[in-house]
Amino acid sequence: MFGIDYRVGIHREMTAQSIAIMTRFWESEGPFEYKGRFWSACRPEDQSQKRSGYHLKPFQRPYPPIGVTGLSAASPTLRLAGVNGWIPISFCFTPQYLHRHWEVVRNGAREAMRAAPSREDWRISRPFFVADTDKEAWRRSVGGEMGRYFREGYLPMLAGNNALGLLKHDLDVPDGDVTVEYVAKHCWITGSPETVANRIAEMQSFSGGFGVLHVMCFDHLDDVDATTQSYSALADIVSARPH
């Protein structure tokens, strides 16, 4: 819609520059001008006689923590997280390459001569559904809003961009085999509390360790009670794990 060629990474440069502008405003105590490749901005002088001036400072100083997400195995966005000291969030479907995500973050920090980042700050984001049994979790996820979202939206979008490889546990898997049932088996974490706990432990092992688990949310308006129970069960699973 905006004519941005994501294949050459311009959107990542735009993201970095927009954050640079925002943080400049948050940190500034006086007027400044910023001229960049994509945007220019300035903070004018305060007009005290008109009781007008720049006043929207964040409560947290110098500003709230910034987190950015990365998906591909060698995500350039996660490198930016390391370079800038931002919170890395791995948008993860298959855990096999998670250790590479952390390497990218560390390499970015090293490149910028920053202190090594902490794995406690690393977030992993995946689709979850917990039910009493594996069969019930499968029914409610594949047959519910998670399945509908992937079937009608996400899978066709990835297929149209030749990007189904992001969901494959093995790149030799044919594109035609990447169905909702395939991603439910290989990409989502669903099942009984015991099954989900084991899958989380597997992900910790593959990654080398991370600090925070994010849950991808879907509009489960037709199954609100079961979804609420799923979130509660996941919280119990995580809180019961040793730190």
Side-chain angles (χ1 to χ4, degrees), residues 3-19:
I4 297 171
D5 187 353
Y6 71 92
R7 289 167 295 187
V8 298
I10 289 178
H11 59 301
R12 298 186 185 98
E13 296 180 45
M14 296 175 78
T15 296
Q17 188 179 114
S18 65
I19 293 176

Side-chain angles (χ1 to χ4, degrees), residues 3-4 12-13 18 20 27 30 33 54 67 71 75 81-82 97 99 104 125 150 162 198 202 207 210-211 220 225 230:
I4 297 171
R12 298 186 185 98
E13 296 180 45
S18 65
E27 293 178 304
E33 285 194 46
Y54 180 75
L71 174 59
S75 170
Y97 57 76
H99 65 286
V104 170
S125 180
F150 275 80
N162 298 314
N198 289 336
E202 176 188 67
S207 68
F210 60 92
H220 295 284
D225 289 344
S230 171

Side-chain angles (χ1 to χ4, degrees), residues 64 125 141 158 199:
S125 180
S141 57
L158 290 180
R199 294 285 303 279

Side-chain angles (χ1 to χ4, degrees), residues 98-145:
L98 273 177
H99 65 286
R100 295 184 60 187
H101 275 188
W102 189 246
E103 290 173 5
V104 170
V105 175
R106 285 196 310 176
N107 289 341
R110 191 179 298 117
E111 176 185 325
M113 293 184 289
R114 286 184 174 273
S118 170
R119 284 182 177 269
E120 289 297 312
D121 295 329
W122 186 17
R123 277 95 161 128
I124 308 294
S125 180
R126 291 188 76 179
F128 282 85
F129 206 97
V130 188
D132 290 338
T133 66
D134 292 351
K135 184 177 180 179
E136 180 70 3
W138 180 276
R139 183 181 71 83
R140 290 188 180 278
S141 57
V142 174
E145 183 60 28

